Amino acid sequence: MTLKQVIKSHILTGVSAMANLQKFPVGTTPLAEPSDDIDRRLRDLLAQSIRRSGKSREQIAEDMTRLLSPRRITPHMLNSWTAVTHDSWRFPAAYVLAFCEVTSDDTLLRFLLGRRLSALLALGEMIAHAVPSVLSRFETRRTARVNSDDPQELLFG
């Protein structure tokens, strides 16, 4: 099997991700379905990321404050951003990267990318994951052929 064939077989696993891209032509990807309550989804994503992080809200607030200095983040702010009852409190977009870094969870950032860019990112991640193993296997086979004592193997592969 040639390197081109091996890479092609691994890239074909990304077909499902590509199918998602074809549903939304460039410039038409909705952030969410029209019936979705985006505010509630954002609040839920924030709360889920906080829960999954294993850190207390106090620790997350301290870590975000350190990253966003001189801006100060408090546990009360985190509580207000995640509470469905606090409509007037909105999580600032300028804090998204710090929040994702502190919680070690990029779910919020991926949600904000939208479906099209998330599908492209997933495809890129699959390719980045597959290419090193494909090249490694190809190099192993090539080395095995070069080290072979069989003259025909050396000449014709």
Side-chain angles (χ1 to χ4, degrees), residues 55-111:
K55 295 181 177 181
S56 68
R57 290 176 185 245
E58 291 77 15
Q59 184 61 50
I60 291 171
E62 286 176 24
D63 292 348
M64 285 182 68
T65 296
R66 204 173 1 265
L67 291 175
L68 297 169
S69 182
R71 290 176 239 161
R72 180 158 160 61
I73 308 299
T74 66
H76 172 73
M77 295 165 82
L78 289 172
N79 292 335
S80 297
W81 290 328
T82 58
V84 179
T85 56
H86 291 169
D87 286 338
S88 61
W89 282 78
R90 303 277 192 250
F91 187 79
Y95 297 173
V96 170
L97 293 177
F99 178 81
C100 291
E101 184 174 330
V102 165
T103 59
S104 300
D105 186 343
D106 63 357
T107 306
L108 176 63
L109 189 57
R110 287 174 183 264
F111 173 75

Side-chain angles (χ1 to χ4, degrees), residues 9-141:
S9 71
H10 283 280
I11 291 176
L12 289 177
T13 61
V15 170
S16 63
M18 290 300 292
N20 285 337
L21 294 177
Q22 293 168 356
K23 292 179 188 173
F24 304 105
V26 175
T28 64
T29 307
L31 179 62
E33 296 297 323
S35 63
D36 286 348
D37 182 358
I38 294 173
D39 181 63
R40 183 177 195 107
R41 289 185 68 195
L42 285 170
R43 290 174 190 277
D44 288 345
L45 288 172
L46 286 168
Q48 289 168 13
S49 293
I50 290 169
R51 229 176 286 118
R52 279 192 299 263
S53 75
K55 295 181 177 181
S56 68
R57 290 176 185 245
E58 291 77 15
Q59 184 61 50
I60 291 171
E62 286 176 24
D63 292 348
M64 285 182 68
T65 296
R66 204 173 1 265
L67 291 175
L68 297 169
S69 182
R71 290 176 239 161
R72 180 158 160 61
I73 308 299
T74 66
H76 172 73
M77 295 165 82
L78 289 172
N79 292 335
S80 297
W81 290 328
T82 58
V84 179
T85 56
H86 291 169
D87 286 338
S88 61
W89 282 78
R90 303 277 192 250
F91 187 79
Y95 297 173
V96 170
L97 293 177
F99 178 81
C100 291
E101 184 174 330
V102 165
T103 59
S104 300
D105 186 343
D106 63 357
T107 306
L108 176 63
L109 189 57
R110 287 174 183 264
F111 173 75
L112 294 174
L113 285 175
R115 290 184 183 149
R116 182 176 182 76
L117 291 177
S118 290
L120 279 171
L121 180 60
L123 179 62
E125 288 172 337
M126 283 191 291
I127 291 170
H129 179 72
V131 168
S133 65
V134 169
L135 292 176
S136 174
R137 277 187 265 150
F138 180 77
E139 185 62 28
T140 301
R141 288 184 192 138

